[in-house]
């Protein structure tokens, strides 16, 4: 039977925020393909999650050329889903991809040269079966390529019709400011800035949030649950099926420190008092910042996605709760 999305998908609980000074509105919770969408994962589970996400107002799907594993397989699986279920709904979807990390051998297989970015956008569109992506990110500042070269490649990608908007990810504040000014002068302003932001990684609070607000740029937060640490799953050790236990993941067992787990236990007590799961509290905490347009979640199964989505029912934090959390995180 052909997939028919829920008719109430935009009125059944999702909240939308404008992405900076633009006409784009993003769901406050978006679905990311960094983990759990590669060829080593169950395609049936992947498709089940994407259908559920779309049925509940998630229209923003975040990918990158190197997502997998293996690299490229997340985009390939998404392309399969588009062809199988979502082709008729392409204009409802805000699809993003990125390039800048290692993808193929040799000096042009990574970093942010014009050669890499031009090859990468073409490869990504081919894997996903798309004519264009809605937004294409420079995935990182590589410390090697002149910023002018990277930014002009992004400008040309938009002018060639391969992306509608441009975004930047994981740029040091001085490099970000330079890049933003270049893009603005070229008439292709940056729409979104993506970086890691969660209770245990708050570096964007120092400068990035303020800069993005002043420039009319939406902030897209990834790893809002600290790759699962802020779900509470590690309170009693490292489960065999967890991200930290998987050899191909970025979260290592050494990242799950006793100090973090002690804080997680205290944070869970606050979540319990609010009638929420710890995951829902952690998402609400990131979204308390008006500069944040959306948080990207990377659910492993449908139950996790459902839990994350339920955060939209209680996003506000009282002053007392905020102070209690701040005391724990100090």
């Amino acid at each position: 039977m052909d997939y028919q999305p829920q008719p109430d998908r935009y009125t059944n609980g999702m909240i939308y925020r404008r992405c900076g000074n633009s006409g784009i509105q993003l769901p406050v919770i978006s679905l990311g393909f960094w983990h759990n969408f590669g060829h080593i994962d169950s395609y049936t589970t992947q498709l089940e999650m994407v259908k559920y996400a779309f049925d509940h107002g998630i229209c923003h799907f975040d990918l990158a050329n190197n997502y997998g594993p293996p690299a490229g397989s997340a985009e390939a699986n998404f392309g399969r889903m588009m062809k199988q279920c979502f082709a008729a709904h392409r204009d409802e979807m805000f699809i993003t991809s990125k390039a800048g990390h290692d993808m193929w051998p040799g000096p042009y297989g990574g970093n942010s040269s014009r050669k890499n970015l031009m090859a990468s956008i073409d490869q990504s569109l081919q894997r996903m079966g798309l004519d264009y992506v809605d937004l294409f990110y420079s995935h990182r500042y590589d410390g090697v390529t002149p910023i002018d070269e990277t930014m002009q490649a992004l400008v040309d990608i938009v002018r060639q019709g391969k992306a509608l908007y441009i975004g930047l990810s994981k740029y040091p504040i001085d490099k970000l400011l330079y890049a933003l000014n270049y893009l603005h002068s070229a008439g292709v302003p940056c729409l979104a800035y993506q970086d890691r932001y969660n209770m245990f990684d708050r570096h964007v609070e120092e400068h990035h949030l303020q800069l993005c607000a002043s420039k009319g740029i939406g902030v897209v937060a990834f790893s809002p649950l600290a790759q699962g640490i802020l779900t509470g799953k590690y309170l009693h050790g490292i489960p065999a099926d967890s991200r930290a236990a998987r050899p191909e993941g970025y979260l290592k067992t050494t990242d799950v420190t006793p100090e973090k787990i002690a804080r997680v236990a205290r944070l869970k007590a606050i979540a319990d008092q609010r009638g929420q799961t710890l995951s829902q509290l952690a998402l609400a905490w990131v979204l308390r910042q008006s500069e944040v347009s959306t948080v990207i979640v990377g659910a492993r199964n449908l139950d996790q996605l459902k839990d994350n989505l339920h955060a939209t029912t209680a996003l506000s934090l009282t002053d007392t709760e905020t102070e209690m959390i701040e005391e724990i995180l100090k």
Side-chain angles (χ1 to χ4, degrees):
M1 181 182 294
D2 291 339
Y3 166 66
Q4 296 294 329
Q6 292 296 319
D8 66 344
R9 57 191 175 277
Y10 298 113
T11 58
N12 61 9
M14 182 51 69
I15 301 166
Y16 298 86
R17 289 184 180 178
R18 193 166 300 281
C19 188
N21 185 24
S22 78
I24 294 301
Q25 297 183 60
L26 298 178
V28 291
I29 296 175
S30 301
L31 185 60
F33 282 60
W34 182 19
H35 296 284
N36 308 314
F37 286 88
H39 287 340
I40 68 169
D41 303 292
S42 165
Y43 176 77
T44 300
T45 300
Q46 296 173 29
L47 182 58
E48 182 182 43
M49 287 194 290
V50 174
K51 285 181 178 179
Y52 188 89
F54 194 66
D55 282 342
H56 290 80
I58 293 182
C59 52
H60 173 212
F61 300 94
D62 182 76
L63 298 101
N65 62 347
N66 67 322
Y67 288 175
S73 60
E75 287 184 332
N77 285 332
F78 184 73
R80 181 180 171 189
M81 295 177 201
M82 287 296 298
K83 184 177 181 180
Q84 183 177 348
C85 297
F86 299 102
H89 307 285
R90 170 65 182 97
D91 291 338
E92 294 182 50
M93 306 172 90
F94 196 82
I95 301 167
T96 67
S97 193
K98 319 176 191 70
H101 287 289
D102 291 344
M103 269 298 288
W104 60 86
Y108 317 120
N111 292 333
S112 305
S113 68
R114 179 181 183 86
K115 181 169 177 62
N116 174 271
L117 294 182
M118 288 300 183
S120 293
I121 183 64
D122 288 344
Q123 291 175 18
S124 289
L125 293 177
Q126 183 176 28
R127 280 190 290 266
M128 292 187 285
L130 301 176
D131 296 324
Y132 68 95
V133 291
D134 294 285
L135 186 145
F136 188 68
Y137 287 96
S138 169
H139 206 165
R140 61 168 178 156
Y141 171 67
D142 63 20
V144 177
T145 310
I147 295 180
D148 290 30
E149 177 179 342
T150 301
M151 294 308 111
Q152 189 59 46
L154 295 176
V155 168
D156 291 343
I157 284 169
V158 169
R159 289 178 177 165
Q160 291 171 7
K162 296 174 182 178
L164 302 183
Y165 302 95
I166 286 305
L168 300 172
S169 177
K170 300 180 297 189
Y171 270 57
I173 192 65
D174 58 328
K175 308 303 181 186
L176 177 61
L177 180 59
Y178 183 93
L180 295 180
N181 289 335
Y182 186 103
L183 292 170
H184 186 268
S185 298
V188 183
C190 177
L191 172 68
Y193 176 72
Q194 185 173 142
D195 214 329
R196 189 187 314 272
Y197 185 30
N198 58 62
M199 289 176 169
F200 292 142
D201 190 340
R202 304 174 64 174
H203 74 279
V204 296
E205 292 180 355
E206 188 172 356
H207 298 295
H208 288 79
L209 294 183
Q210 298 92 317
L211 176 61
C212 289
S214 70
K215 296 290 187 179
I217 297 166
V219 174
V220 177
F222 74 85
S223 288
L225 304 178
Q227 296 196 70
I229 295 176
L230 286 166
T231 66
K233 71 169 63 174
Y234 299 106
L235 280 171
H236 306 292
I238 298 177
D241 63 345
S242 65
R243 189 175 293 184
R246 294 173 64 166
E248 73 279 354
Y250 291 88
L251 182 69
K252 306 303 180 187
T253 54
T254 52
D255 296 324
V256 187
T257 65
E259 179 190 28
K260 283 182 180 176
I261 297 306
R263 291 180 179 181
V264 166
R266 295 174 65 191
L267 291 167
K268 185 178 182 304
I270 297 176
D272 291 343
Q273 292 171 4
R274 285 168 52 86
Q276 284 184 309
T277 64
L278 178 56
S279 299
Q280 292 161 10
L281 173 63
L283 295 175
W285 183 88
V286 174
L287 287 166
R288 82 197 190 286
Q289 300 281 16
S290 60
E291 299 90 344
V292 176
S293 300
T294 185
V295 296
I296 297 173
V297 299
R300 182 166 52 86
N301 54 51
L302 190 56
D303 287 341
Q304 289 182 1
L305 179 60
K306 289 179 178 179
D307 178 76
N308 292 168
L309 277 170
H310 198 63
T312 59
T313 63
L315 287 180
S316 61
L317 296 169
T318 68
D319 291 342
T320 300
E321 289 168 340
T322 302
E323 291 168 4
M324 291 169 62
I325 292 170
E326 198 64 37
E327 180 63 29
I328 294 170
L329 299 179
K330 270 203 269 188

